[in-house]
Amino acid sequence: MLRNFVFVMVSLLLMSCNTRSDHKKIKYTTSADSTLIHYHKGWQEIMDFGDYAAAEVSYRKALEYDPNFLVGKSVLARLTLNLEERLALYQTVEDHKQTIQGNERLILDVYQALTKYTNLRDQKSEMTKSALQEALNIGEYNFRKLVHEYPNEVYLKSEYIEILHAQYGAKRTLDSMQVLVTKRQGKTPFLLGYKAILTAETKNFKDALVYAQALAEQMKDVKAAKPDAILADIYFKMEDYKKAKIYADRAFNIDPRNLDASRLKEKIDKKLK
């Protein structure tokens, strides 16, 4: 119930930005309003809450209303743990992606490249590393255009920042955030949490913990893995593995599907052996 309330409040916040004359929204190829509602809810669940299980439910609901929503299929393919389903979704999108044009196609091409990488990784292919670099290059090129054309698409901007981090490291990404992220956007859970992670990566642990604690306070009434996963990441970087384990275990117990928490938990457990 509380999470639905938070989703509504964030939606209203984003809608309030829509009244600005410089605001543009990406138009997706679907006539079903319910599809877009669940699609955007899925992004909030992944990015702001770190709740992958809930996001998968939302994306599947989106596709119930419009089974031909290709961007939704591609996002679900990135999320599902079932390799056979992912391969099938990837191929379906490949077979029909010529029907999608313009900026929506730029997004779809990034998601397909990332799905291709995930498939090759799970198949233990020798092409995995090159597929990842190809996906990052496509993502950087396509999203750079989109985040400047649609500056209020906060989750798209968040994905772009993740790609910049993978390409150029923490320091340059923090510099880019100073330019790209508005003050209001910087308070959204994903961007606040990601700033904490990047700051910790630069060894500025004091400020990183300040950002992480601010996020924890902001989300104190929401059952979500993200605040604990971020604190675990910071303490891991500080080499305080016992504290890191406390937060990683807590995040994992909230959502075992949270990739950040599960990967950190594995690393921490190895350190403590």
Side-chain angles (χ1 to χ4, degrees), residues 191-201 207-209 211-212 230 234:
L191 289 170
L192 179 57
Y194 209 70
K195 186 177 183 181
I197 290 172
L198 294 173
T199 303
E201 197 169 313
D207 285 350
L209 286 171
Y211 299 139
I230 287 169
I234 293 171

Side-chain angles (χ1 to χ4, degrees), residues 13-203:
L13 175 64
L14 295 175
M15 287 171 64
S16 70
C17 296
N18 293 353
T19 60
R20 290 174 46 180
S21 60
D22 64 344
H23 182 79
K24 292 170 62 179
K25 294 182 69 175
I26 294 171
K27 296 186 183 300
Y28 291 100
T29 307
T30 179
S31 59
D33 290 340
S34 295
T35 289
L36 292 180
I37 288 171
H38 288 293
Y39 175 75
H40 291 304
K41 183 179 180 183
W43 276 117
Q44 186 189 25
E45 287 163 337
I46 283 183
M47 304 300 269
D48 287 340
F49 299 138
D51 193 335
Y52 289 74
E56 182 175 348
V57 172
S58 292
Y59 293 133
R60 292 190 187 279
K61 284 184 178 178
L63 291 172
E64 285 178 11
Y65 290 99
D66 183 356
N68 298 315
F69 182 41
L70 295 185
V71 171
K73 283 182 183 291
S74 194
V75 175
L76 178 60
R78 292 174 62 190
L79 192 61
T80 179
L81 298 178
N82 186 318
L83 176 59
E84 290 186 6
E85 181 184 31
R86 193 187 310 124
L87 289 167
L89 286 166
Y90 175 82
Q91 192 57 54
T92 297
V93 175
E94 283 294 295
D95 291 343
H96 297 89
K97 69 181 183 181
Q98 71 276 4
T99 64
I100 304 299
Q101 303 297 326
N103 289 331
E104 185 182 12
R105 178 60 182 272
L106 294 180
I107 295 171
L108 185 62
D109 285 345
V110 178
Y111 294 167
Q112 281 293 91
L114 288 167
T115 302
K116 178 182 177 181
Y117 152 70
T118 305
N119 288 338
L120 291 171
R121 183 197 65 194
D122 286 2
Q123 293 171 315
K124 304 188 186 306
S125 169
E126 295 180 354
M127 298 171 61
T128 300
K129 186 176 179 180
S130 61
L132 174 58
Q133 190 57 59
E134 180 184 10
L136 292 173
N137 291 342
I138 293 171
E140 182 183 356
Y141 183 84
N142 289 8
F143 284 169
R144 180 189 293 119
K145 176 182 184 298
L146 294 171
V147 299
H148 287 95
E149 187 169 348
Y150 305 97
N152 287 325
E153 292 279 3
V154 66
Y155 297 130
L156 194 66
K157 187 175 290 186
S158 297
E159 287 196 285
Y160 178 53
I161 287 167
E162 286 185 297
I163 289 172
L164 291 180
H165 182 207
Q167 294 277 63
Y168 303 111
K171 177 63 172 66
R172 286 183 63 178
T173 305
L174 283 168
D175 291 342
S176 294
M177 286 182 71
Q178 289 289 331
V179 177
L180 290 170
V181 177
T182 67
K183 185 175 180 180
R184 176 177 289 184
Q185 289 170 346
K187 295 179 181 179
T188 59
F190 176 83
L191 289 170
L192 179 57
Y194 209 70
K195 186 177 183 181
I197 290 172
L198 294 173
T199 303
E201 197 169 313
T202 66
K203 306 298 182 183

Side-chain angles (χ1 to χ4, degrees), residues 1-7 49 189 213-225 227-228 254:
M1 185 74 173
L2 182 58
R3 178 165 297 186
N4 288 336
F5 172 77
V6 173
F7 174 69
F49 299 138
Q213 293 293 352
L215 175 64
E217 177 64 21
Q218 180 178 320
M219 299 185 71
K220 64 182 179 180
D221 295 324
V222 181
K223 187 179 180 182
D228 289 317
I254 292 172

